[in-house]
Amino acid sequence: MIKLNKKIITLAVSVVILLTALTGCASGPAQSSAPQASGSQEANSQDGGASAQKAAERTVVDHAGNTVVIPADINRVVISSIMPLPSVFCLFEGASDKLVGMDPSSMAAAKNSILPKIYPEVLNVSTDFIKDGSLNIEELMKLKPDVVLYSADNTADYEVLSKAGIPAVAFSTSKFKFDTVKTFDNWVSLMGEIFGQQETAKQIASYGYEVKDEITKTIEKAGDSLKRPRALILFRYDNGSIKTSGSNFFGQYWLDTTGAENVAKDLKGMAEINMEQIYQWDPEIIFITNFTPYQPEDLYENSINGFDWSRVKAVQDKKVYKFPLGMYRWFPPASDTPLSIKWLATKNQPELFKDLDMDKEIREYYKKFYSYDLSDEQVEQIFHPSSEASGLKK
């Protein structure tokens, strides 16, 4: 958590306490020893009650366009159907003690990430409210959430939560045109509104833009002579099916921003592909996300039954890379998003960014934003995440 915001947070808490005290004082006249309250006194009492109610609530407009009334004091948070958000929440809060529920997929990533090294209590967060991929309202109610944060694209969650009368705030992955940095910014900004800490949000989000500008300016200076390698992202690869990241998904933004050409740019979203298509593209670089259990070695050793990777240039040249996993998987927006940009730039344009020391960058980022000193083993863990982090089996 950024240390600069501590005074701001302390001031905000003090203001809330002061307002609460003032509200308590305002209710004094209604408890006067006068034998009978006049109509004016009754009106003042009602106004005081309305003011107290208003002070105990906050209103936000979420990414689905819904106006949501939430408690001003939030102590129990459940995050459903938007997998990267627990890491962003912990970054924002500088703690995980308010988080009482998360999706099983988020937990699979957490157990194999650095997240519990910094916030060990996150491993105690419940996942029982998700049954067979769907929200189970009975189990959710047991968690007594003050608010539920969910994916704006998940209308099923919205309907269930609305009927149950649970304050629910939608976070979108698609509203910001899959611009990863902008999406991260808007997630953090919405958290700032929810928790009344807008300045904290600005401090966190601004660094992502700084990094993006730094990388894009370096690439732009190279001019038309810049060679963009043909890159393929294996977004989801399991059970004999391969899905890549087309033009309307985060992969396109990553590759455009960091100096590569997306071989799947003519496809949309999470598009299913086959080996014949991959042979035609013959990518020079392959990136494997942590939503699939496969590792670069599986392609190098050609050990995946029914798939011959030996003919692909990226495999022949040993340029297959597994996305790192720090606080969360680095492919979607998450709390380590600025690091994702830098890492991809070093892989796509190694000559341009030969002076970018990712080992150093990761250590400094974790020190600045999480107040945490990574060990050598933990840095290696980030660069070489386990297959179990996908939550799937090979």
Side-chain angles (χ1 to χ4, degrees):
M1 183 85 176
I2 301 175
K3 294 182 179 180
L4 293 176
N5 62 34
K6 296 298 183 183
K7 292 183 179 179
I8 297 170
I9 295 172
T10 302
L11 178 60
V13 171
S14 300
V15 171
V16 172
I17 292 172
L18 178 60
L19 287 175
T20 303
L22 290 174
T23 301
C25 292
S27 65
Q31 299 171 0
S32 166
S33 58
Q36 186 174 0
S38 67
S40 176
Q41 288 174 322
E42 290 176 359
N44 288 337
S45 178
Q46 291 173 358
D47 289 344
S51 297
Q53 176 70 17
K54 186 175 181 180
E57 295 176 341
R58 183 179 288 115
T59 300
V60 299
V61 177
D62 68 14
H63 293 162
N66 300 316
T67 299
V68 187
V69 178
I70 59 177
D73 186 21
I74 295 174
N75 294 297
R76 299 182 65 80
V77 177
V78 169
I79 301 177
S80 74
S81 67
I82 186 154
M83 315 314 174
L85 207 59
S87 74
V88 180
F89 174 83
C90 290
L91 166 63
F92 184 87
E93 281 284 295
S96 64
D97 54 302
K98 293 183 180 180
L99 186 60
V100 297
M102 71 166 77
D103 190 279
S105 180
S106 299
M107 183 60 78
K111 287 179 177 178
N112 295 278
S113 75
I114 303 300
L115 189 62
K117 303 291 193 304
I118 303 176
Y119 310 114
E121 63 274 13
V122 78
L123 296 179
N124 299 323
V125 172
S126 175
T127 61
D128 294 341
F129 67 100
I130 300 292
K131 302 292 184 182
D132 299 322
S134 299
L135 192 152
N136 183 294
I137 194 61
E138 288 79 15
E139 292 297 324
L140 178 65
M141 295 294 282
K142 293 178 183 178
L143 298 176
K144 300 179 181 178
D146 294 319
V147 66
V148 175
L149 313 181
Y150 72 101
S151 170
D153 297 324
N154 194 323
T155 55
D157 275 15
Y158 174 71
E159 291 173 5
V160 171
L161 294 166
S162 296
K163 288 179 181 178
I166 300 173
V169 183
F171 286 72
S172 179
T173 57
S174 59
K175 183 177 181 179
F176 310 104
K177 299 181 179 179
F178 297 102
D179 179 324
T180 314
V181 172
K182 190 174 182 180
T183 302
F184 174 64
D185 173 12
N186 279 273
W187 284 1
V188 172
S189 296
L190 185 52
M191 281 197 180
E193 294 178 28
I194 293 170
F195 296 99
Q197 297 178 29
Q198 288 87 340
E199 187 59 33
T200 299
K202 289 179 183 178
Q203 292 179 38
I204 293 172
S206 63
Y207 184 68
Y209 289 109
E210 290 175 18
V211 171
K212 177 198 171 186
D213 290 344
E214 172 191 336
I215 297 300
T216 54
K217 284 178 182 178
T218 300
I219 290 173
E220 286 170 0
K221 284 181 182 179
D224 296 336
S225 62
L226 180 75
K227 182 184 181 301
R228 289 177 174 263
R230 302 186 311 278
L232 170 69
I233 293 177
L234 299 180
F235 171 68
R236 182 110 183 199
Y237 184 13
D238 62 284
N239 294 323
S241 172
I242 305 175
K243 289 185 178 180
T244 189
S245 175
S247 61
N248 194 34
F249 202 38
F250 295 116
Q252 187 68 49
Y253 176 84
W254 284 134
L255 298 179
D256 284 346
T257 304
T258 60
E261 176 190 352
N262 183 8
V263 295
K265 62 182 181 295
D266 293 332
L267 305 178
K268 299 292 183 182
M270 294 173 283
E272 187 159 358
I273 57 175
N274 55 38
M275 289 306 299
E276 289 303 319
Q277 178 66 78
I278 293 171
Y279 295 150
Q280 290 178 24
W281 286 330
D282 199 20
E284 299 166 276
I285 298 177
I286 293 175
F287 295 102
I288 306 175
T289 78
N290 286 287
F291 292 99
T292 176
Y294 291 120
Q295 301 283 349
E297 290 71 27
D298 293 310
L299 273 62
Y300 294 154
E301 296 168 6
N302 215 16
S303 61
I304 305 173
N305 189 36
F307 295 85
D308 180 9
W309 287 96
S310 65
R311 296 167 51 185
V312 180
K313 183 172 177 56
V315 175
Q316 294 170 353
D317 294 344
K318 297 290 191 293
K319 290 186 177 181
V320 180
Y321 307 108
K322 186 80 169 179
F323 266 90
L325 191 155
M327 297 290 274
Y328 185 74
R329 306 171 178 115
W330 278 18
F331 176 78
S335 59
D336 289 349
T337 281
L339 291 173
S340 300
I341 301 175
K342 292 185 176 184
W343 177 78
L344 281 159
T346 64
K347 299 305 181 187
N348 290 325
Q349 295 295 335
E351 285 301 312
L352 280 181
F353 298 99
K354 60 185 177 182
D355 295 328
L356 193 55
D357 183 345
M358 281 307 303
D359 192 279
K360 179 182 176 183
E361 293 289 338
I362 289 175
R363 291 178 188 276
E364 290 181 351
Y365 186 88
Y366 272 67
K367 183 66 175 178
K368 179 178 181 179
F369 287 94
Y370 306 117
S371 299
Y372 188 79
D373 291 310
L374 290 167
S375 67
D376 292 345
E377 291 77 16
Q378 288 167 343
V379 173
E380 280 301 299
Q381 179 184 337
I382 290 173
F383 282 129
H384 302 99
S386 69
S387 296
E388 287 74 19
S390 68
L392 303 170
K393 294 182 178 181
K394 290 185 179 181

